[in-house]
Amino acid sequence: MSFRLIIIYFFFILGIFSQTSENWNKKGIDALKEKEFLTAVESFKKTLYDKPDDAFANYNLACTYTLLLAQCEDIESEVHIYNLIQKAIKSKPSYQKKLLTDSDFIILRGKYHFQKLSGKTKKEILTSITWFGPSPGAYGPMDQFQFREDGGFIYKKLDMTESNPIGKLEFTGRYKWINDSKLEIQFYDPSPMKEGGKKNLRVNYSDGKLEIQGFDHSFTDDNDRCSA
């Protein structure tokens, strides 16, 4: 076979693969519109079998898995979803700007690693999500922090005693940065801490986790949404 024929054959095969990928992507989108999520998953996966770096298929497969996750059908982990998004952004950087406005990703917007994929810094992420304590029972997280851009924060804590019919206690305070991985917080009075609200409490801030002095548990972005 001559070199010219080899080139023609190569582009012919490439055209077939491209057309096949487009067909599977279209089938995936059609299934997604009809909320036939498992069909959409299989369609996008067939595209990725031939073209692993296809930005469209990676992005929309991530969307599909997230919509299933919203129904508490976690057929793939969040880590896998983030890997798909990362691959999509690598092939098509404009997808990064779309992340925080795409309604398919609503349930992931409160997640540290999703915010990081959108291009936000650690300091920006601190105020973009809610930080939850553990969930020991059916009531969900026992406490949570919300940090504001103005340097203030709100701390909410479950209180199921008979004297508190609302079921939650709320405290406020302020914080200041030491560096990207450390900050200090101070509660106003009344304070949930035994020593009152005048003491500065150290906070270690690693990827997706807050460890706060005086608390026997850490805080993460996990709100235990699908628990019983």
Side-chain angles (χ1 to χ4, degrees):
M1 183 181 293
S2 68
F3 180 74
R4 183 179 177 184
L5 288 176
I6 292 174
I7 295 296
I8 293 172
Y9 178 76
F10 172 77
F11 281 106
F12 174 74
I13 295 298
L14 188 64
I16 291 176
F17 278 138
S18 177
Q19 185 63 41
T20 301
S21 298
E22 289 177 7
N23 288 342
W24 283 120
N25 279 338
K26 184 179 183 306
K27 288 179 180 179
I29 288 297
D30 290 342
L32 201 52
K33 289 178 180 178
E34 297 298 322
K35 301 187 184 302
E36 297 173 356
F37 299 131
L38 296 181
T39 300
V41 165
E42 291 306 312
S43 298
F44 294 129
K45 285 173 72 173
K46 285 178 179 176
T47 293
L48 294 175
Y49 181 80
D50 292 327
K51 297 175 65 177
D53 296 324
D54 188 289
F56 186 89
N58 276 300
Y59 185 89
N60 284 287
L61 183 55
C63 288
T64 309
Y65 281 141
T66 305
L67 291 169
L68 284 166
L69 198 63
Q71 300 176 0
C72 295
E73 297 182 28
D74 50 344
I75 64 173
E76 277 295 348
S77 67
E78 284 185 23
V79 173
H80 184 61
I81 294 172
Y82 298 145
N83 288 338
L84 291 169
I85 294 172
Q86 196 167 23
K87 288 179 70 175
I89 292 173
K90 184 177 180 180
S91 298
K92 188 175 180 180
S94 61
Y95 274 140
Q96 187 177 53
K97 294 181 179 180
K98 187 178 179 182
L99 289 181
L100 294 178
T101 59
D102 193 328
S103 60
D104 289 346
F105 290 125
I106 285 178
I107 67 161
L108 292 183
R109 288 181 195 167
K111 299 292 187 173
Y112 178 92
H113 290 289
F114 183 81
Q115 292 281 332
K116 188 175 180 179
L117 283 171
S118 76
K120 288 190 177 182
T121 64
K122 284 182 70 175
K123 287 187 176 182
E124 291 172 329
I125 296 172
L126 181 79
T127 60
S128 298
I129 67 177
T130 300
W131 298 88
F132 298 98
S135 303
Y139 294 103
M142 60 189 293
D143 54 357
Q144 63 185 57
F145 276 91
Q146 290 175 293
F147 293 86
R148 302 194 306 263
E149 293 181 1
D150 63 2
F153 70 82
I154 300 173
Y155 172 66
K156 297 179 181 179
K157 179 182 179 182
L158 280 178
D159 179 33
M160 306 307 293
T161 60
E162 293 182 4
S163 61
N164 183 25
I166 297 176
K168 281 188 178 180
L169 297 175
E170 188 171 299
F171 306 89
T172 58
R174 62 187 178 188
Y175 70 94
K176 63 178 180 180
W177 288 99
I178 306 302
N179 55 48
D180 281 352
S181 299
K182 293 184 183 297
L183 56 149
E184 288 184 346
I185 66 171
Q186 185 181 89
F187 283 100
Y188 298 133
D189 285 324
S191 167
M193 312 305 290
K194 292 180 180 179
E195 58 270 29
K198 295 183 178 180
K199 183 178 180 181
N200 288 330
L201 304 176
R202 296 186 304 274
V203 181
N204 292 321
Y205 178 23
S206 57
D207 283 2
K209 180 188 290 187
L210 296 179
E211 295 176 318
I212 303 176
Q213 182 184 0
F215 289 84
D216 61 3
H217 58 271
S218 58
F219 294 82
T220 70
D221 58 11
D222 186 9
N223 62 355
D224 202 23
R225 187 179 58 87
C226 292
S227 67

